[in-house]
Amino acid sequence: MAQIFHPSMNTVARASIFGAIFVLGAAAWVAARIYSSPYVTEQYVAREQPVPFSHEHHVTGLGLDCRYCHTSVEDSHFAGVPPTQTCMTCHSQVWTNAEMLEPVRASFRENKPLAWTRVHALPDYVFFNHSIHVAKGIGCSTCHGQVDKMPLMWQNATLHMQWCLDCHRDPEKYIRPKDQVFNMAWPAGQKDWDQKTRGAALVAEYHVNKVQLDNCSVCHR
Amino acid sequence: MAFLVDDTRETLHKPAPRPFWRSLGELEQTPEFLERLHREFPVAASEWLEDVEPGAAKNPGLSRRNFLTLMGAGLSLMGLTGCTTRKPDAKIVPYVIQPEQIVPGKPIFYASALNVNGAAHGVIVETHEGRPTKIEGNPNHPASLGATNIWMQAAVLGLYDPDRSQVVAQLGGSSVSTWDKFQSAIAPMLAAKLQNGGSGMRVLSEPIVSPTLAAQAQALKRRFPNLKWHVFSPTDRGNVREGAKQTFGQPRNVVYAFDKADVVVALDSDFLIDEPGSLRYSRQFVDRRRVRKDRPEMNRLYVVESARTITGAMADHRVPTTPDAIERIANAIASGVRGGMRNTLDETTEKFVRALVDDLKQAGKFALVIAGEYQPPQVHRLCHEINAALGAVGNTVLYTDPIDAGSVDANASLAELVHDMNAGSVDLLVMLGGNPVYNAPADLDFASAMGKVATNVHLGLYEDETSFLSQWHLPQTHPLEEWSDLRAFDGTVSIVQPMIAPLYEGRSVHEVLAILLGDAARSGHEIVRGHWAEQHKDNFDFWWDKSLHDGLIEDSALPPRESNRTQAANTTAPSSQPAPAGFRITFRPDPSIGDGAWANNAWLQELPKPISKLTWDNAAYVSRATAQKLEVEEGGTIRVKYAGRELAGVPVIVVPGQPADVITLHLGYGRTRAGKIGTKLGFNAYALRTSDAPWFGAGATVTRDDADYELAVTQEHQLMHGREIVRPVSIAELRARYASAETTRAEGANVEHPKTVPLTLYNPDEWENKGNKWGMVIDQTACTGCNACVVACYAENNVPTVGKEQVIRNREMAWLRIDTYFSAADAEETEPAANPETYFQPMLCQHCETAPCELVCPVGATTHSAEGLNEMTYNRCVGTRYCSNNCPYKVRRFNYLEYNGEVSQTQAMQKNPDVTVRQRGVMEKCSYCVQRINLARIDAKKQGREHGLVREGEVLTACQQSCPTQAIVFGNLNDPQSQVKKLKEEPTNYGLLTELNTEPRTTYLERVRNPNPAMKS
């Protein structure tokens, strides 16, 4: 009876057995990459909004402070999204005929709220509080990126738990003086800013309780 | 380590000095009980065994092949969940114009009042972006003092009940209609009535405790001079009213001052739960029982009762007896207090009464004798007499003008109405609230009388039994949706303000009356504000804002009135009457759902009733002796013949301490149109109740019925293997302990602990957080078992209800339960279940410093925080349930099914946004209200306090805040001035099962009793 398999098949068999390990490993690597890729996390993906609001124009161009619209960022867990009335403080006077702003005017006219697409969505079991981060010297741009350079808003970080813990375990790496929290360009323009030593000093000065920051119940409850 | 293990084992096996038991099953050590004891998840362990018919196969249950099939399917389905990796698009919808006071994400609190037990209870309602989520007591309100009861807590769930009536309905709720149609239909009728002065027109309401409503009623009577206004409530306090009226010749409201009472005698009075001033009375009563190192004094409570109540469970001496015997005992006390006791009692009772009378006389004006609304007016007259003779009037007892307008006797008023309806002299009946078709006395047959009235109009929260027989059903607004005003037990007026615009097309009582008054356009706000504007002319706007803000009108309590007894009570009447034959029936409002108005409230249905721990049903409470006499066991049924009526298939529950030959039936069940939750649960005890004997009667014939009935009773759930966890101590023993200076922690009680120093290899100072160190102390002397904390926990922590069938499977989700233990006072007692002492022990996560649950979690879902919390992280939990297996306190609850999956859109609005709504497959448990702690700590940190130190009083757990007696104290153990730290240093403080080295952060204060040394037991 003729041989079914050629002797070279032995090599193929061995190679495929050992190769399987690499194939599986590669598959796991690909899965991990996909999981943390913008495709899943929606990092760097500019989201469509009812009105193409440009932070770049309003912050860099006009010099609005973050808190002009996000009023409750220092008081509440929620930074606040401005009511239509806030838009209309200016847009009842400027660009009153711009077609782009018709949804805003319609909202005000018909008393129907605008429905913005959420850009930074945390799972329901995560209880993030803006006010305490702002109060302890964590700047807006640390998490949200340089919003003043974003014509349309996108998510600047993965928002994975690993990313949160990076700072919660070592806040020295990211903390900044309280008066610089709303500075979008931080630390650019600061002479001799040494984050390592100055960060540790600020953590002590602001009574940041490091032993507590990675407790589960700080964010999950 | 060996000696330690031996020590521990010895402690575990050492018999308790006195047996404590949770249920009769435990007392008798029945096989069913032992089965439950050894299997924590009795049903889950044999999940697939149940469907197999017995004897169908040699090896019943799941075959290996089926197991692998299900396992494989489960794994691949689990993989499928990974397919939805992308987050769904969420929307942020801001306001168009943001209301001035609202900060998104921060709650706002408003003061208001709720009508519970027939009077106002001041509340503070937490609202998130305009939706009320949680109700707390108003600390400034005299009837609340910051505390709540189960009904105040549950009201917020009732608001969002999707079964509430939503639209006007015509004839039996079958035809949807509108307010406009109703108004145009009623207009010609009213025009005709204006011609004849309102003859044939009647209004039926619940007792009026709203000043605005009283004024509207007056106005209506002026408009229709021939109109008659009737009042009815099934739990009307007619006996109290009539007793005062007979004594003083005019209606009087009785107010008690328990803060001055040294000796309290309660005659069938459940004053800790069902008086209009119960929350205040509970606090005042317990304030006199808090025994501390520097204050080893306490009051004494005697209870004579014909049912099983929490007041009886708190008694230092309790006498269970028949309801008719209480009048004889009151007689004996009255004659004894005046000197020369007339003896018509049996020997034991006589001895009891003599010692009691001595005690009362010694207390003098610091004594208080109180009769419950379940006893006839004669007993109330005797009590007024006794209190007067003791000099207590003006000290512990005060009389004021009545709080209800007109002070009408409900039973007589309804009987008159039904008589007129049957006589055909009523053609327009407007019912403002209430549900008389369901809860009117059976002999009046209200339903058939309604058939003789041309037009019945019913205003109600639900399309209920009465709506179904009415020509018009009108939807009513919920108390959290309307403007109104209410009087409290002492007359204090609160303005009721809406927390939310009406969810449906409801209107308030005031607005419906405005239609009858020909002023339909007036809103509830205008009516109520207008009423008060007439009374307070100067600076009214300020006065109104202040009254709204405070939750009460300043100085509106009724002043005490000088009250002279017009005639002495006849103390001779019942002495020679022979005791009637047969069983006695006592009727009581259900401890959870009251008169039935709360029947569609799932929190209250699932709440284990005090003492019996029954859920989702009512049952005939019988004593063990009675059960044996009837040859019926728990799970069996009886047939009750009483006053010419019969009720079959009544399930039986054997309750330790229930008086012999007395069968207690709870009202409120057997609803036919309550809603999806409350319909067809239990039996309707109103079917036996007659207008001449509203609360008890004799001569019932009771026989065994053949049917079986499964009750969902949680008494044997979460057992703790009979370890010694309840420790009563008498005040005399305690004084001796103080005297012997043996006051170190946990020693000197009736067991010696092998461990007095923490068994740890680590230096606690190395890791211990310098900031907050959370701990809790629960005072078992103060706990009345009222269940308020349990419902508060449901409301605060989004705890789901699971339903009767799941409760039977041991799957109730309550994070906090009140364990009830019984123990015969005398170990030699032949019938230990006849009148055992009752002990309540609130049981919740003990937040052990060395928690056994944390060690066994394979995924690190339960961990320890720096502040000492035992944290539960739901998103990590994979549901192995090892933690629950390893928890000696049995406080962890597993989410078997998607209990939160089917909440309606409205119910979802009730959920606390600060707490995760858990899905199935995760373990959950008490978190010490970590959401409140976190918010308080964030505030502290924002103020720049080191370690985020939270000050005393800045954080209260939900259970602590609701507790009427402040039995639960929570706080920072690192703060030497905190109340919790001071209580932990009390000699009565002890931890449960500390011999297991769990180091619980929650500890208990021993239950201190104050028995009369002159009495044995």
Side-chain angles (χ1 to χ4, degrees):
Chain A
M1 193 176 124
Q3 255 180 315
I4 297 174
F5 293 109
H6 189 266
S8 68
M9 274 313 204
N10 287 339
T11 322
V12 172
R14 282 189 200 106
S16 58
I17 288 167
F18 289 108
I21 294 168
F22 291 102
V23 170
L24 286 175
W29 181 80
V30 168
R33 294 300 298 188
I34 292 175
Y35 180 65
S36 56
S37 75
Y39 172 73
V40 174
T41 63
E42 299 187 337
Q43 200 179 0
Y44 310 130
V45 178
R47 309 299 301 272
E48 206 169 303
Q49 301 289 2
V51 180
F53 178 84
S54 166
H55 279 88
E56 184 180 35
H57 170 67
H58 287 85
V59 179
T60 312
L62 303 171
L64 288 188
D65 189 273
C66 309
R67 290 162 288 183
Y68 186 81
C69 298
H70 304 294
T71 47
S72 52
V73 72
E74 289 170 304
D75 303 327
S76 167
H77 68 82
F78 181 55
V81 168
T84 312
Q85 198 184 18
T86 306
C87 310
M88 292 302 282
T89 46
C90 296
H91 288 297
S92 61
Q93 307 295 324
V94 296
W95 297 103
T96 49
N97 291 319
E99 200 174 318
M100 200 192 273
L101 294 176
E102 175 53 22
V104 179
R105 290 191 297 271
S107 157
F108 201 66
R109 205 166 48 230
E110 292 155 21
N111 197 22
K112 272 194 187 148
L114 288 161
W116 301 94
T117 303
R118 188 180 269 281
V119 178
H120 292 82
L122 290 174
D124 289 348
Y125 50 78
V126 179
F127 292 84
F128 176 82
N129 189 311
H130 273 97
S131 67
I132 187 63
H133 288 84
V134 171
K136 292 290 170 183
I138 300 300
C140 307
S141 61
T142 304
C143 306
H144 292 292
Q146 275 201 275
V147 174
D148 60 333
K149 298 280 185 289
M150 295 181 193
L152 280 175
M153 192 67 197
W154 64 74
Q155 178 185 319
N156 198 54
T158 61
L159 300 188
H160 283 168
M161 184 164 141
Q162 195 179 21
W163 170 81
C164 300
L165 282 172
D166 182 36
C167 182
H168 269 225
R169 286 183 175 143
D170 291 309
E172 296 89 346
K173 288 197 281 188
Y174 300 98
I175 197 165
R176 59 172 92 164
K178 285 181 188 176
D179 57 2
Q180 297 298 324
V181 163
F182 299 99
N183 178 358
M184 279 295 150
W186 177 267
Q190 301 293 314
K191 273 187 190 162
D192 307 326
W193 177 261
D194 177 16
Q195 183 70 36
K196 211 172 174 187
T197 52
R198 301 289 292 279
L202 285 177
V203 163
E205 187 189 335
Y206 294 163
H207 302 306
V208 176
N209 201 358
K210 271 179 73 181
V211 292
Q212 209 168 48
L213 282 184
D214 61 352
N215 287 173
C216 303
S217 65
V218 166
C219 310
H220 304 296
R221 59 199 191 214
Chain B
M1 284 301 281
F3 75 96
L4 278 175
V5 172
D6 286 347
D7 271 4
T8 310
R9 192 170 294 155
E10 201 173 288
T11 320
L12 285 176
H13 289 162
K14 201 157 87 177
R18 182 174 147 190
F20 286 86
W21 35 277
R22 282 259 280 270
S23 67
L24 291 166
E26 183 172 4
L27 182 67
E28 292 159 10
Q29 294 286 309
T30 58
E32 295 82 12
F33 170 79
L34 293 172
E35 165 80 7
R36 234 185 221 291
L37 183 65
H38 292 298
R39 292 171 73 177
E40 185 184 353
F41 302 112
V43 179
S46 48
E47 190 69 40
W48 289 299
L49 286 179
E50 284 167 10
D51 299 328
V52 180
E53 285 174 38
K58 256 189 180 173
N59 186 14
L62 198 64
S63 70
R64 189 174 57 180
R65 178 171 296 196
N66 282 338
F67 176 77
L68 287 173
T69 311
L70 284 167
M71 202 62 151
L75 276 173
S76 44
L77 285 172
M78 211 158 69
L80 281 178
T81 60
C83 294
T84 54
T85 50
R86 292 190 72 146
K87 287 175 274 189
D89 258 0
K91 296 285 178 196
I92 299 180
V93 185
Y95 290 93
V96 175
I97 297 171
Q98 188 163 317
E100 206 175 332
Q101 291 173 324
I102 285 184
V103 177
K106 293 202 113 177
I108 306 182
F109 298 86
Y110 294 100
S112 186
L114 293 173
N115 185 352
V116 174
N117 287 343
H121 288 66
V123 293
I124 289 180
V125 185
E126 177 179 347
T127 67
H128 286 268
E129 282 94 38
R131 59 194 172 88
T133 58
K134 180 78 173 53
I135 291 175
E136 308 291 359
N138 180 352
N140 297 327
H141 193 271
S144 159
L145 300 176
T148 44
N149 55 30
I150 56 171
W151 301 291
M152 291 156 80
Q153 289 290 347
V156 73
L157 187 67
L159 166 68
Y160 295 117
D161 189 344
D163 294 345
R164 270 177 55 192
S165 80
Q166 309 192 356
V167 291
V168 177
Q170 212 176 343
L171 200 64
S174 51
S175 162
V176 172
S177 189
T178 63
W179 281 99
D180 285 342
K181 282 188 190 158
F182 167 71
Q183 273 164 253
S184 47
I186 195 110
M189 290 186 226
L190 291 178
K193 290 293 171 200
L194 273 173
Q195 299 300 315
N196 68 10
S199 305
M201 179 177 173
R202 302 294 172 93
V203 177
L204 175 64
S205 76
E206 293 181 309
I208 301 172
V209 285
S210 157
T212 301
L213 186 60
Q216 281 185 301
Q218 290 297 331
L220 193 68
K221 276 186 207 160
R222 280 196 299 274
R223 192 168 193 229
F224 302 101
N226 300 331
L227 169 137
K228 267 194 193 155
W229 188 296
H230 300 269
V231 160
F232 177 68
S233 156
T235 51
D236 178 58
R237 299 166 54 75
N239 286 330
V240 183
R241 191 184 295 116
E242 195 56 28
K245 214 173 186 172
Q246 288 177 12
T247 313
F248 304 113
Q250 49 193 323
R252 279 282 179 266
N253 175 42
V254 194
V255 178
Y256 303 103
F258 282 85
D259 53 340
K260 297 194 180 110
D262 288 332
V263 176
V264 179
V265 179
L267 302 174
D268 236 352
S269 164
D270 198 2
F271 67 85
L272 292 175
I273 196 77
D274 65 9
E275 291 272 329
S278 276
L279 289 174
R280 184 186 186 84
Y281 297 161
S282 297
R283 167 77 70 82
Q284 291 183 335
F285 170 72
V286 166
D287 275 346
R288 299 295 305 270
R289 289 179 86 77
R290 282 183 232 275
V291 180
R292 301 288 178 262
K293 268 185 291 193
D294 51 350
R295 194 163 25 89
E297 300 297 330
M298 69 192 289
N299 61 10
R300 182 174 292 140
L301 171 65
Y302 300 88
V303 173
V304 182
E305 62 178 0
S306 62
R308 200 70 172 93
T309 65
I310 60 167
T311 306
M314 289 296 283
D316 297 299
H317 291 281
R318 172 177 182 265
V319 176
T321 183
T322 53
D324 36 286
I326 290 175
E327 189 173 333
R328 286 201 295 279
I329 292 173
N331 252 315
I333 298 172
S335 56
V337 165
R338 282 191 305 241
M341 191 177 110
R342 244 194 316 278
N343 183 8
T344 58
L345 306 163
D346 62 86
E347 199 187 332
T348 354
T349 320
E350 191 210 327
K351 249 170 78 184
F352 167 79
V353 171
R354 280 193 193 284
L356 183 149
V357 164
D358 288 345
D359 213 11
L360 280 176
K361 278 182 175 164
Q362 213 177 339
K365 69 174 195 169
F366 297 103
L368 170 57
V369 183
I370 169 170
E373 61 190 79
Y374 313 114
Q375 283 295 318
Q378 169 73 4
V379 177
H380 290 265
R381 294 179 66 183
L382 288 165
C383 284
H384 296 311
E385 190 126 319
I386 297 166
N387 285 325
L390 290 165
V393 175
N395 193 43
T396 59
V397 189
L398 302 168
Y399 300 109
T400 72
D401 283 335
I403 59 167
D404 55 332
S407 205
V408 187
D409 183 69
N411 272 326
S413 180
L414 186 73
E416 186 195 348
L417 173 64
V418 170
H419 176 266
D420 292 352
M421 284 158 81
N422 285 329
S425 53
V426 181
D427 54 13
L428 174 60
L429 174 63
V430 181
M431 290 170 274
L432 304 172
N435 187 6
V437 169
Y438 165 69
N439 59 25
D443 55 332
L444 294 182
D445 197 3
F446 193 85
S448 76
M450 264 176 86
K452 303 190 178 83
V453 178
T455 310
N456 293 292
V457 180
H458 180 245
L459 173 74
L461 269 180
Y462 293 88
E463 277 181 19
D464 55 22
E465 291 85 344
T466 307
S467 311
F468 189 67
L469 295 179
S470 300
Q471 278 70 26
W472 287 95
H473 165 74
L474 309 176
Q476 190 176 6
T477 44
H478 189 273
L480 294 173
E481 295 174 333
E482 66 187 17
W483 286 96
S484 186
D485 47 14
L486 291 171
R487 274 192 194 280
F489 75 107
D490 64 349
T492 303
V493 181
S494 294
I495 307 286
V496 176
Q497 57 174 329
M499 302 296 141
I500 188 170
L503 294 171
Y504 311 118
E505 286 185 9
R507 291 197 191 178
S508 70
V509 171
H510 306 296
E511 289 163 333
V512 172
L513 268 177
I515 297 176
L516 301 185
L517 286 165
D519 201 5
R522 273 190 105 190
S523 70
H525 180 232
E526 287 165 341
I527 296 166
V528 177
R529 199 172 191 276
H531 172 78
W532 289 102
E534 278 168 31
Q535 334 241 330
H536 292 266
K537 292 228 163 32
D538 28 303
N539 208 2
F540 175 72
D541 287 336
F542 174 78
W543 178 91
W544 176 254
D545 288 348
K546 181 173 164 31
S547 303
L548 278 180
H549 170 269
D550 296 350
L552 55 93
I553 295 176
E554 217 169 21
D555 300 325
S556 54
L558 297 168
R561 290 282 292 263
E562 197 73 16
S563 294
N564 298 316
R565 280 166 295 131
T566 49
Q567 56 186 119
N570 178 6
T571 55
T572 52
S575 56
S576 56
Q577 276 176 16
F583 289 97
R584 268 69 152 199
I585 304 281
T586 51
F587 297 101
R588 288 286 189 273
D590 187 83
S592 295
I593 64 164
D595 62 8
W598 297 94
N600 210 45
N601 195 303
W603 291 347
L604 295 177
Q605 288 284 5
E606 192 145 308
L607 187 66
K609 299 179 207 301
I611 298 166
S612 72
K613 298 286 152 194
L614 175 66
T615 66
W616 289 102
D617 263 306
N618 60 344
Y621 282 30
V622 299
S623 69
R624 188 156 72 155
T626 309
Q628 281 160 359
K629 200 189 278 181
L630 294 169
E631 294 174 339
V632 63
E633 287 180 335
E634 208 160 294
T637 52
I638 52 172
R639 184 181 289 269
V640 184
K641 273 188 206 144
Y642 168 74
R645 294 179 180 79
E646 190 181 78
L647 205 56
V650 176
V652 163
I653 186 162
V654 184
V655 179
Q658 173 76 8
D661 295 340
V662 177
I663 292 167
T664 302
L665 302 177
H666 286 113
L667 307 168
Y669 278 89
R671 296 281 308 266
T672 51
R673 286 177 185 276
K676 286 190 199 73
I677 289 166
T679 301
K680 288 183 183 154
L681 290 177
F683 63 90
N684 183 1
Y686 286 113
L688 291 182
R689 198 182 186 219
T690 55
S691 48
D692 58 332
W695 297 114
F696 66 85
T701 323
V702 181
T703 49
R704 202 178 94 155
D705 211 346
D706 294 328
D708 282 339
Y709 193 95
E710 193 166 19
L711 294 171
V713 182
T714 65
Q715 188 70 271
E716 290 184 357
H717 293 188
Q718 298 113 25
L719 290 160
M720 289 199 259
H721 282 256
R723 289 160 181 156
E724 198 232 24
I725 48 183
V726 179
R727 287 201 221 160
V729 60
S730 78
I731 184 91
E733 288 162 358
L734 194 59
R735 285 193 191 116
R737 198 193 300 170
Y738 291 137
S740 69
E742 195 191 1
T743 52
T744 45
R745 177 181 168 207
E747 286 177 341
N750 37 22
V751 80
E752 284 167 20
H753 278 260
K755 189 185 71 62
T756 49
V757 287
L759 297 174
T760 174
L761 296 173
Y762 299 97
N763 173 8
D765 296 332
E766 269 175 29
W767 56 270
E768 211 159 78
N769 187 32
K770 297 286 176 289
N772 306 304
K773 180 180 177 183
W774 302 113
M776 182 181 273
V777 172
I778 299 176
D779 187 348
Q780 293 175 91
T781 313
C783 177
T784 63
C786 75
N787 271 340
C789 51
V790 183
V791 188
C793 185
Y794 269 88
E796 172 71 18
N797 290 306
N798 299 336
V799 177
T801 49
V802 301
K804 179 180 172 182
E805 184 232 5
Q806 293 289 309
V807 173
I808 292 172
R809 291 170 176 234
N810 207 348
R811 290 175 180 178
E812 66 276 9
M813 295 303 299
W815 288 4
L816 163 58
R817 62 178 196 265
I818 297 184
D819 285 342
T820 305
Y821 292 87
F822 303 102
S823 177
D826 185 356
E828 309 287 296
E829 180 71 62
T830 47
E831 172 49 18
N835 185 20
E837 289 171 357
T838 311
Y839 297 92
F840 297 120
Q841 186 173 63
M843 180 51 67
L844 62 170
C845 177
Q846 306 281 300
H847 290 270
C848 312
E849 284 177 12
T850 53
C853 52
E854 291 169 11
L855 302 175
V856 293
C857 180
V859 293
T862 186
T863 47
H864 222 72
S865 87
E867 297 185 343
L869 300 182
N870 174 243
E871 309 165 310
M872 185 67 223
T873 313
Y874 311 116
N875 43 313
R876 277 202 165 183
C877 179
V878 296
T880 63
R881 290 173 280 146
Y882 297 163
C883 53
S884 182
N885 274 146
N886 217 32
C887 172
Y889 305 100
K890 298 291 152 243
V891 290
R892 290 180 156 263
R893 312 302 304 140
F894 186 67
N895 235 312
Y896 278 90
L897 301 173
E898 195 75 334
Y899 299 122
N900 266 321
E902 283 173 25
V903 295
S904 68
Q905 227 174 348
T906 47
Q907 280 168 309
M909 290 166 73
Q910 186 279 320
K911 301 290 181 196
N912 184 350
D914 295 329
V915 178
T916 308
V917 177
R918 282 82 57 188
Q919 60 168 353
R920 85 178 141 211
V922 299
M923 192 53 88
E924 49 184 79
K925 61 154 197 92
C926 162
S927 66
Y928 268 173
C929 284
V930 64
Q931 65 281 3
R932 293 183 175 204
I933 295 175
N934 281 3
L935 289 180
R937 189 178 52 227
I938 284 172
D939 280 343
K941 282 188 167 178
K942 281 198 280 193
Q943 290 171 25
R945 291 186 221 159
E946 207 175 343
H947 305 303
L949 201 66
V950 175
R951 296 195 187 113
E952 177 88 343
E954 285 181 339
V955 57
L956 301 173
T957 62
C959 50
Q960 175 187 21
Q961 191 164 14
S962 70
C963 181
T965 61
Q966 299 187 323
I968 301 174
V969 177
F970 175 81
N972 181 4
L973 297 175
N974 275 348
D975 175 4
Q977 291 308 309
S978 71
Q979 211 191 341
V980 67
K981 179 71 182 163
K982 286 179 182 163
L983 289 178
K984 294 245 179 206
E985 282 156 11
E986 283 290 327
T988 46
N989 178 56
Y990 72 105
L992 300 190
L993 309 179
T994 46
E995 62 270 27
L996 303 174
N997 194 33
T998 49
E999 290 289 307
R1001 279 278 173 91
T1002 303
T1003 55
Y1004 292 79
L1005 300 186
E1006 288 166 312
R1007 165 83 180 266
V1008 188
R1009 306 181 69 98
N1010 184 14
N1012 186 345
M1015 287 184 200
K1016 193 172 164 263
S1017 85

